[in-house]
Amino acid sequence: KRQAVSYIWDGFRDGKGNFVKVDGKTWKGLRGDERVAKVDLSAGGFNIDFTSGTVSAETIRNGFIALRDVLRITNRSAYPLDVFVSTAIMSNLERYYSDQYASRTILQELTSLTGIASIQEDSQLQGNQILMIPLASGRVAPIVGSAFATVADPRPFYNSDYVWRTWGAMGLMVKTDINDRYSVMYASS
């Protein structure tokens, strides 16, 4: 099951380190696939560190809106976005929006933005990493034969050990439109 999580985030490579191809297509994971929009949060890109406690709440909000608009405006994706952030970002979003009084948190402010369905923490994200994905839209879908199955090996003798095997067959489909516009975005620095 851990390998399935790794497959979703980082793709699947064969023994030689090449991405496996099926019907001429590969899956390089949510972090690296060409069907996922990539945004640079470092100084050469958006230049914002969502993990920093010294960045103002207004700057975080404006940066978050700019990220959302990469999908909503640039890529014309009208689907509600589920946002996954690292633990460090989630911790920073729990600060009060205002330093002057006990206001709502930055997280509450961001969740109220148009087009944001939810903001959740994901343990696979580290540091300044964000994934925006429209889960309810059908733009991302599992391709599953038998998601996971646990099967017992035959026991040839009465005192043979019980041996259980767990296996799975799955794929992940991330759709782009006819003009190669994205519906999923991964941002990191």
Side-chain angles (χ1 to χ4, degrees):
K1 294 177 184 175
R2 284 185 213 111
Q3 287 178 329
V5 172
S6 175
Y7 166 79
I8 290 169
W9 282 101
D10 300 313
F12 184 74
R13 296 177 188 262
D14 61 17
K16 296 178 184 176
N18 301 317
F19 287 104
V20 173
K21 282 189 177 187
V22 176
D23 295 332
K25 297 190 187 236
T26 62
W27 172 246
K28 297 174 184 164
L30 290 169
R31 290 187 178 112
D33 199 77
E34 55 272 357
R35 292 167 294 247
V36 175
K38 286 158 204 65
V39 174
D40 181 11
L41 296 177
S42 66
F46 273 56
N47 194 23
I48 185 167
D49 183 1
F50 289 100
T51 65
S52 174
T54 61
V55 175
S56 73
E58 183 179 3
T59 302
I60 289 174
R61 185 176 186 275
N62 291 338
F64 199 83
I65 290 170
L67 283 178
R68 178 205 62 189
D69 289 348
V70 166
L71 291 177
R72 287 184 56 88
I73 295 174
T74 307
N75 288 287
R76 300 181 188 166
S77 178
Y79 305 107
L81 297 169
D82 294 283
V83 182
F84 295 90
V85 299
S86 69
T87 305
I89 292 175
M90 185 60 86
S91 178
N92 194 33
L93 296 182
E94 291 173 338
R95 293 186 300 157
Y96 286 120
Y97 190 80
S98 173
D99 295 332
Q100 308 303 320
Y101 60 95
S103 65
R104 294 175 10 144
T105 65
I106 299 171
L107 178 63
Q108 290 170 320
E109 289 290 330
L110 297 180
T111 304
S112 70
L113 293 172
T114 303
I116 302 300
S118 69
I119 301 175
Q120 303 170 52
E121 186 178 328
D122 193 296
S123 64
Q124 295 296 310
L125 296 170
Q126 306 275 322
N128 201 25
Q129 295 180 337
I130 298 175
L131 177 76
M132 291 186 171
I133 184 168
L135 291 177
S137 70
R139 304 295 295 168
V140 177
I143 303 168
V144 180
S146 170
F148 289 99
T150 303
V151 179
D153 275 357
R155 294 182 61 222
F157 303 105
Y158 71 94
N159 62 348
S160 295
D161 289 337
Y162 287 98
V163 177
W164 299 92
R165 304 206 184 267
T166 302
W167 58 63
M170 66 172 282
L172 193 65
M173 176 176 56
V174 175
K175 298 178 185 176
T176 57
D177 71 8
I178 195 165
N179 295 315
D180 281 331
R181 291 190 193 105
Y182 304 105
S183 57
V184 177
M185 183 198 61
Y186 171 71
S188 66
S189 53

